[in-house]
Amino acid sequence: MKTAEHLHACGVKPSYTRMRIYEYLHNHHDHPTVEHIYGALKDSLPTLSKTTVYNTLKLFLEKHLVRELIMQNQAHYDIVTDFHAHFQCNNCHTIYDIPMQREHVVNGNVEAHHIEDVQLTYRGICRSCQQTTQVE
Amino acid sequence: MKTAEHLHACGVKPSYTRMRIYEYLHNHHDHPTVEHIYGALKDSLPTLSKTTVYNTLKLFLEKHLVRELIMQNQAHYDIVTDFHAHFQCNNCHTIYDIPMQREHVVNGNVEAHHIEDVQLTYRGICRSCQQTTQVE
DNA sequence: ATCACCTCTGTAATGATTACAATTTTATAA
DNA sequence: TTATAAAATTGTAATCATTACAGAGGTGAT
């Protein structure tokens, strides 16, 4: 589906800026931060303001177009796809997607409450860093 | 076990300040923040500095005496007990402990990496707020 | 007593995020 | 088209949790 149509279908007016931000997220699944997105787009959108990136992501979040993932005091964003967990390496800070079914982590113990979001994150040393780096 | 002995056993020299902070955590399992701990102790420890609370919690964290739980850009602390998940209400911001076995959320998909910490958090509207509050 | 080391303190800096008011753009109506 | 209202975008300033840092205070060993 075209970006404009998809935004429209989710209740977001598809301005040029919003489409560019959405498309950046669509093409980059490495959990970018506001800084990443702003840095990547500011050359081709010279008037872009960081506040606009914040505002747009907040809007996308409300409309459930993106998912927010807060790791070490910084928000990372990902377009909404299947539920999955995340592993972040304490050494290289890469965030890996980890397959996980939502049903698997939502059980009777929590269903007394109304769940709007589930976040499962692991931290540690990733496979790659274990093999190539000495971490003391 | 006495606080002093326990800190010592974990490699932390049991100064008076450290014991008081540890005991506060031991007696308050409502996931306090630095602000909470500082606010609660400053009357009986008039020279206490907020930096000391930060430093002490960082030390406790390294020695695995406490667990850090970052929710909406603020760190919350809990003395280490059994593994469990957390639910935070978007309305009243209370954090509930949710029973959950660690083995249940650590499976083959993530074990390629070396895991140091696992965090499973739910957000939504808690049972109490659903019954007593209209949330639009 | 001296010295080194650890603990604690207070202020200043950092850095992500939000508030806000102004400006620009877009949509709507006359 | 022009006027006007509404929405989107912008830049600056404020906020707030956390960290850096340098100095003060305490403790223990020799």
Side-chain angles (χ1 to χ4, degrees):
Chain A
M1 200 199 296
K2 290 243 178 66
T3 301
E5 292 167 22
H6 186 221
L7 294 190
H8 191 75
C10 292
V12 174
K13 196 196 280 189
S15 75
Y16 184 65
T17 307
R18 288 169 177 174
M19 290 204 293
R20 291 297 306 277
I21 291 173
Y22 182 84
E23 279 163 5
Y24 181 84
L25 287 163
H26 188 267
N27 295 329
H28 296 84
H29 291 198
D30 56 346
H31 315 88
T33 62
V34 164
E35 210 64 40
H36 288 136
I37 299 167
Y38 175 74
L41 294 180
K42 71 170 184 229
D43 284 345
S44 58
L45 284 176
T47 69
L48 183 63
S49 155
K50 211 176 280 187
T51 302
T52 299
V53 181
Y54 275 103
N55 292 341
T56 303
L57 289 169
K58 190 177 181 187
L59 176 67
F60 285 179
L61 209 54
E62 284 164 8
K63 303 299 183 178
H64 303 101
L65 279 158
V66 300
R67 183 186 300 270
E68 187 181 55
L69 182 64
I70 294 176
M71 304 204 94
Q72 58 182 25
N73 287 326
Q74 255 207 297
H76 298 253
Y77 296 89
D78 210 357
I79 57 172
V80 168
T81 56
D82 299 343
F83 179 80
H84 55 269
H86 295 96
F87 177 94
Q88 184 172 39
C89 180
N90 286 325
N91 188 237
C92 67
H93 305 112
T94 302
I95 298 173
Y96 297 82
D97 284 344
I98 306 294
M100 174 67 66
Q101 301 213 328
R102 183 189 155 98
E103 299 73 37
H104 193 69
V105 294
V106 176
N107 62 31
N109 289 325
V110 71
E111 286 178 333
H113 308 299
H114 174 249
I115 301 174
E116 290 172 356
D117 187 49
V118 181
Q119 197 170 308
L120 171 55
T121 58
Y122 310 88
R123 301 188 57 92
I125 304 299
C126 76
R127 175 166 221 173
S128 171
C129 282
Q130 282 177 265
Q131 290 173 344
T132 59
T133 313
Q134 300 295 344
V135 182
E136 66 274 44
Chain B
M1 200 198 295
K2 289 246 179 60
T3 301
E5 291 167 22
H6 186 221
L7 294 190
H8 190 75
C10 291
V12 174
K13 196 195 278 188
S15 74
Y16 184 66
T17 307
R18 288 171 178 173
M19 290 204 292
R20 291 296 306 277
I21 292 174
Y22 182 84
E23 280 163 5
Y24 181 84
L25 287 163
H26 189 266
N27 296 328
H28 296 85
H29 291 197
D30 56 346
H31 315 89
T33 63
V34 165
E35 210 64 39
H36 288 135
I37 299 167
Y38 174 74
L41 294 179
K42 70 167 182 228
D43 284 345
S44 58
L45 284 176
T47 67
L48 182 63
S49 155
K50 210 176 282 185
T51 302
T52 299
V53 180
Y54 275 103
N55 291 341
T56 303
L57 289 169
K58 190 177 181 187
L59 176 66
F60 285 178
L61 208 55
E62 284 163 8
K63 302 300 184 178
H64 301 102
L65 279 159
V66 300
R67 184 185 300 271
E68 187 181 53
L69 181 64
I70 294 177
M71 303 203 94
Q72 58 182 27
N73 288 325
Q74 255 207 296
H76 298 254
Y77 296 89
D78 210 359
I79 57 172
V80 167
T81 56
D82 299 341
F83 179 79
H84 56 267
H86 295 96
F87 177 93
Q88 183 171 38
C89 180
N90 286 326
N91 188 237
C92 68
H93 305 113
T94 302
I95 298 174
Y96 297 83
D97 284 344
I98 307 292
M100 173 66 68
Q101 302 213 330
R102 182 188 156 98
E103 298 73 38
H104 192 70
V105 294
V106 177
N107 62 31
N109 288 325
V110 71
E111 287 179 332
H113 308 298
H114 173 249
I115 300 173
E116 291 172 355
D117 187 48
V118 182
Q119 196 169 312
L120 171 56
T121 58
Y122 310 88
R123 302 188 57 92
I125 305 298
C126 76
R127 175 167 221 170
S128 171
C129 282
Q130 281 177 268
Q131 290 172 344
T132 60
T133 313
Q134 300 296 344
V135 182
E136 65 277 43

